[in-house]
Amino acid sequence: MIRPVAVLRPEPGNAATVARVRDAGLSGIALPLFEIEPVDWSPPAPDRFDGLLLTSANALRQGGVGLAALHALPVLAVGAATAAAARDHGFAVERIGERDVRSMLADVAPVRRLLWLAGEHRTRIDHPSIAQTLTLYRAAPRRCDHAALAPLAGSVALIHSTRAAQQLLTAIDAAGMARGTIRLVAISDKAAHAAGPGWEAVAVSRAPTDPALIDAARALAIDP
């Protein structure tokens, strides 16, 4: 028996992950638990900063016309997808972090003055180089009834964030579904912990990337 793999992240990342799941020879289910929406913001004077910190391409997709005022600032991007989106929006990319924002900033000089263009729900990062943080977008929970969630039974669900774990837990319990019919693969120990107990099985990805998540999902999806 091969279980389907459910992708819970919002679009457009959802479609990209589902495609990777299918390229890996598994069956993918698109079930986004959130929708990305813009937040009103105004760009600060760019001469107050010497770089932009971007941890998600959503800041660029949702940033609107205000981004043009910041084009002179080089970008420090977490992930190749974020870097590619920055280039597509006319920014020069100075550095790409392959794992997460903390590891990328580990050797960034504290005298840097970075403007972080972020989402409303984010992990707190204390680093002397982050001079200001602006919220450009939010991930709003989608309403998912029992019928929408039904395909999760017997699946392996990919958990891309702590908040996704919490939202899945809330949605499943509200729909009266049994957690024990679902296996989880979490992007981190923290995300796995946030999902709570009672799932059929829980695994943690070896790295916070789609390929690593899908590798871990394969082990849970294919029953002997």
Side-chain angles (χ1 to χ4, degrees), residues 20-190:
R20 293 185 188 105
V21 168
R22 292 172 179 166
D23 287 345
L26 301 171
S27 174
I29 301 172
L31 185 56
L33 297 183
F34 301 94
E35 291 181 355
I36 303 298
E37 58 187 32
V39 172
D40 288 338
W41 72 290
S42 297
D47 58 5
R48 294 169 48 199
F49 309 96
D50 58 23
L52 293 178
L53 175 61
L54 299 177
T55 51
S56 171
N58 287 320
L60 297 156
R61 298 184 188 112
Q62 305 297 329
V65 297
L67 292 172
L70 304 174
H71 273 160
L73 297 174
V75 167
L76 284 73
V78 176
T82 304
R87 294 189 183 100
D88 288 345
H89 283 77
F91 290 93
V93 176
E94 175 184 312
R95 178 181 297 207
I96 302 174
E98 298 300 331
R99 290 186 59 84
D100 54 38
V101 64
R102 284 193 175 90
S103 61
M104 186 178 70
L105 292 176
D107 61 349
V108 170
V111 294
R112 291 296 298 268
R113 294 171 294 130
L114 300 179
L115 172 62
W116 184 9
L117 304 182
E120 183 177 72
H121 298 275
R122 56 185 177 264
T123 301
R124 179 183 174 88
I125 302 295
D126 292 315
H127 192 279
S129 70
I130 301 177
Q132 184 178 349
T133 302
L134 287 177
T135 298
L136 272 63
Y137 67 93
R138 66 169 59 92
R142 297 178 67 234
R143 284 194 169 188
C144 297
D145 59 17
H146 188 279
L149 295 170
L152 285 172
S155 75
V156 178
L158 301 186
I159 305 297
H160 277 82
S161 67
T162 298
R163 191 162 175 245
Q166 294 166 341
Q167 181 62 19
L168 175 63
L169 182 63
T170 298
I172 288 294
D173 289 353
M177 293 181 64
R179 300 183 201 177
T181 65
I182 304 168
R183 299 177 179 181
L184 302 184
V185 175
I187 201 164
S188 65
D189 289 325
K190 185 177 179 181

